[in-house]
Amino acid sequence: MSVDLNADGPADGQSDRSARIEINSIGKRYGDLQVFQDINLDFNEREIVTIVGPSGCGKTTLLRCIDGLLPVSEGEIRIEGELMTTPREGVAMVFQHFGLFPWKTVFQNVGYGLKLAGASKAEIAEKVPYFINLVGLDGFDSSFPYQLSGGMQQRCGLARALAMEPSVLLMDEPFAAVDAQTREILQFELLRIWDMRPMTMIFVTHSIEEAVLMGDRVVVLKGRPSSVFEIIDVNLPAPRDRSTLAHPRFSELREHVWGTLMDEVRAAEFDVN
Amino acid sequence: MSKVLALINSDHRSVRWGTVIFSLLVGAALWESVGWSFNQAIMAPLIGGADHPGTIPRLYKYIVHDEEYRLSLLQSVQLFSTGFALAVVFSVPLGIIMARLATLRVALESYILVLYVTPMIALIPFILSILGFDFWPKVLVVFLFAFFPILYNTLEGARSVKPELLEVAKSFRSSEVAIWFDVLIPYTLPYTLTGIRQAAGRALVGMVAAEFFLATSGLGEELITASRNFDMAGVLATILVITGLGITFMRIAQAFEQKYSAWRGVNR
């Protein structure tokens, strides 16, 4: 990607774009179905926390609660001390389904949040190209989503979230819908961007490798209803790149998480519900 | 043999257009010969001649030399446009509101279904006895013919809006008004335009019916007058005019439909 690592954005990486999030014994129920319960988590400033668990464990639901898209049934979520009830400024989400507006161009999609936030045309014209460049979509400003590959669509979704200059970035299995090679490229791209613009990132994934590669800490969800089974400090050297995948600690952690989740994954596979 | 088949099934422009033109010529020749073999009070040929006034010459006379006929045409177009425009203006917002408010939808759904399948022409005697013979009762007839296809399609479109996109809007803290302009209207537009295309044909029927059964006027009146005078060339010429209007309206709607569904791209 042809992005100058020292590029100066509309806001530089030094401004306080990170937040502290507290999750106090929250639970989520749909009628009789308890999705998760008694979850306590703290997220620090400029920290990447990955949440991993078998499919159906409610990790995506948890993320939607943190974004304020879904109400919690028990407990409370606070961001910078403020109770989270509805989507708030400074928190942006990247969706597994990309969620691009098919009738908007890349430029309009990336500028979507800014426009809603009341940014002026001039401001949008200044910021949007910067973020399009940041995610490596130069030259595709006026393309429509259907003209882009899955990977490029998610780059656009990422740029749309980053353009809000959030202090919290929520990633909902962002690379689950792209092919394996693209996925690897996007993982390192995201880490590179995070290095330039560090913020609190909560990254939900069902891929154990991805969780270990991306996270400063890995939260393992387990059980039905699920709750936090383990929180692992990853402690892999920075910057994380392809060589990280060959690091002994990486394999060790991957095997550890795999061992933890194996029973659950097997159970989920044979769960006909 | 296979070469002939390949030619017949080829998608080439010249083959396609050649086929269209050939088919039209055959139709015209058939019409012409049928026209000549009947009395002029029963059937008129396309081009005609002595004792058999042709439809095309009559059409030419109507449009180019007949001031009164042009006025009738204008009257009809006015009636159609007014009723049709009102139908669009009322049905589109109602369709989207109904998609957003489940209670309203449930409350109105059965009425809409009933009215959608009711032949509107059966309501004309009511409209006549309640509202009389003016311009506006006729507009109401056109309106009723056009309203339901547009409403129905708009509602279907607005209801099928992807929940993921609404979720994105919510996550980015969109207001309801912004949701309409960013999500609901663009998503629904292709459906609405399909409805509008369907409605154009029905509204045309409504227009002629209104001009027949309420105070006769416009092209409907021209049709009745010509038919009373056993002037088959006049009848057929007017039918061609109405058909022409229908094709024009549908083409316009189709052009809009294509323009505003471009984003559907290859996933159509």
Side-chain angles (χ1 to χ4, degrees):
Chain A
M1 289 304 127
S2 59
V3 173
D4 181 0
L5 283 169
N6 300 315
D8 258 323
D12 64 350
Q14 305 311 310
S15 66
D16 188 15
R17 250 188 287 102
S18 293
R20 194 177 150 75
I21 306 167
E22 294 165 59
I23 292 180
N24 297 322
S25 51
I26 62 165
K28 179 69 185 170
R29 251 180 299 110
Y30 288 110
D32 288 338
L33 178 72
Q34 183 88 36
V35 183
F36 54 75
Q37 65 184 11
D38 198 30
I39 290 188
N40 289 285
L41 285 170
D42 270 0
F43 301 95
N44 301 319
E45 286 172 20
R46 291 164 206 203
E47 179 190 35
I48 305 179
V49 177
T50 52
I51 300 177
V52 66
S55 45
C57 76
K59 51 194 188 301
T60 286
T61 307
L62 173 62
L63 200 67
R64 276 169 171 65
C65 290
I66 298 174
D67 194 34
L69 286 171
L70 293 173
V72 291
S73 310
E74 299 114 31
E76 56 175 34
I77 299 169
R78 286 180 184 278
I79 295 185
E80 286 166 345
E82 244 179 82
L83 200 62
M84 192 74 179
T85 48
T86 179
R88 56 166 274 172
E89 225 184 316
V91 182
M93 183 141 157
V94 176
F95 297 85
Q96 181 184 354
H97 53 68
F98 312 148
L100 301 179
F101 297 105
W103 46 84
K104 289 184 192 285
T105 61
V106 166
F107 187 97
Q108 291 166 330
N109 269 296
V110 174
Y112 173 70
L114 292 171
K115 203 184 89 191
L116 286 180
S120 69
K121 271 214 164 107
E123 202 179 332
I124 292 174
E126 186 209 334
K127 283 187 177 176
V128 169
Y130 170 80
F131 287 100
I132 287 179
N133 170 274
L134 186 66
V135 299
L137 275 183
D138 317 61
F140 291 95
D141 305 45
S142 48
S143 300
F144 287 93
Y146 75 89
Q147 296 167 316
L148 304 179
S149 69
M152 288 162 86
Q153 290 187 39
Q154 193 55 300
R155 285 170 190 267
C156 182
L158 179 62
R160 176 175 65 184
L162 291 174
M164 304 305 290
E165 297 174 62
S167 54
V168 180
L169 187 62
L170 304 176
M171 306 289 277
D172 173 30
E173 304 199 35
F175 308 139
V178 299
D179 65 77
Q181 286 79 26
T182 308
R183 176 177 202 159
E184 231 174 80
I185 292 170
L186 289 176
Q187 285 167 347
F188 294 119
E189 283 272 301
L190 180 63
L191 286 170
R192 174 187 63 80
I193 292 169
W194 186 87
D195 273 337
M196 291 169 67
R197 315 173 63 81
M199 64 201 109
T200 305
M201 181 153 86
I202 307 178
F203 192 111
V204 160
T205 178
H206 63 253
S207 155
I208 293 167
E209 296 206 0
E210 189 168 68
V212 175
L213 174 69
M214 307 291 292
D216 296 323
R217 288 188 295 156
V218 177
V219 174
V220 182
L221 290 187
K222 197 175 154 173
R224 297 223 164 174
S226 66
S227 51
V228 177
F229 179 78
E230 194 179 10
I231 300 176
I232 301 162
D233 279 312
V234 174
N235 283 330
L236 277 162
R240 309 235 176 122
D241 49 31
R242 281 202 59 83
S243 67
T244 309
L245 298 172
H247 201 283
R249 170 116 181 114
F250 178 81
S251 333
E252 182 198 328
L253 287 173
R254 186 189 58 202
E255 291 314 307
H256 174 78
V257 178
W258 172 243
T260 308
L261 287 177
M262 189 171 57
D263 307 339
E264 289 266 323
V265 173
R266 287 216 173 118
E269 189 187 346
F270 291 102
D271 183 358
V272 275
N273 292 323
Chain B
M1 189 63 204
S2 64
K3 263 190 180 170
V4 177
L5 260 179
L7 183 70
I8 289 173
N9 288 322
S10 102
D11 207 25
H12 197 267
R13 283 179 81 90
S14 60
V15 175
R16 218 175 43 224
W17 282 106
T19 313
V20 169
I21 289 165
F22 179 72
S23 142
L24 288 176
L25 283 176
V26 169
L30 211 64
W31 182 347
E32 192 66 20
S33 72
V34 171
W36 279 94
S37 51
F38 283 96
N39 183 296
Q40 57 157 297
I42 295 171
M43 179 69 196
L46 193 58
I47 295 165
D51 291 341
H52 288 278
T55 305
I56 297 287
R58 175 57 56 86
L59 187 63
Y60 179 78
K61 202 186 120 204
Y62 272 161
I63 303 292
V64 180
H65 297 297
D66 195 334
E67 179 85 17
E68 223 169 287
Y69 192 90
R70 282 204 298 264
L71 218 66
S72 293
L73 177 58
L74 186 68
Q75 244 175 6
S76 288
V77 170
Q78 254 168 5
L79 171 59
F80 179 93
S81 325
T82 313
F84 200 79
L86 286 174
V88 173
V89 165
F90 282 99
S91 59
V92 175
L94 181 63
I96 297 180
I97 292 173
M98 282 175 68
R100 292 295 281 169
L101 299 175
T103 317
L104 186 68
R105 186 176 71 241
V106 172
L108 295 182
E109 221 161 27
S110 24
Y111 289 103
I112 286 165
L113 186 67
V114 166
L115 284 168
Y116 187 52
V117 298
T118 304
M120 284 302 150
I121 212 151
L123 295 181
I124 289 182
F126 269 121
I127 293 166
L128 181 68
S129 63
I130 295 170
L131 295 172
F133 290 97
D134 267 344
F135 175 68
W136 291 105
K138 280 186 237 173
V139 169
L140 180 63
V141 174
V142 176
F143 175 90
L144 285 175
F145 270 82
F147 184 79
F148 291 99
I150 306 175
L151 177 66
Y152 198 77
N153 281 283
T154 303
L155 178 58
E156 284 303 300
R159 281 190 70 181
S160 66
V161 167
K162 294 217 162 69
E164 299 98 77
L165 294 180
L166 295 172
E167 184 182 48
V168 170
K170 195 177 168 200
S171 176
F172 280 89
R173 299 152 46 83
S174 179
S175 64
E176 177 70 16
V177 176
I179 287 182
W180 276 59
F181 285 101
D182 288 319
V183 187
L184 295 172
I185 293 175
Y187 189 91
T188 309
L189 207 52
Y191 293 85
T192 300
L193 288 165
T194 305
I196 284 179
R197 187 161 47 78
Q198 289 170 7
R202 293 177 57 144
L204 213 59
V205 176
M207 177 193 89
V208 177
E211 288 175 338
F212 272 173
F213 297 118
L214 302 177
T216 51
S217 66
L219 293 174
E221 185 177 15
E222 295 292 342
L223 209 52
I224 289 181
T225 312
S227 135
R228 284 199 185 124
N229 295 331
F230 300 104
D231 173 13
M232 286 306 125
V235 170
L236 289 170
T238 302
I239 291 174
L240 281 188
V241 170
I242 296 171
T243 308
L245 284 181
I247 291 173
T248 311
F249 290 133
M250 274 198 215
R251 285 280 162 191
I252 293 172
Q254 219 165 33
F256 275 105
E257 209 178 335
Q258 262 155 24
K259 178 167 182 228
Y260 288 105
S261 357
W263 56 263
R264 289 186 182 184
V266 286
N267 303 320
R268 274 191 84 148

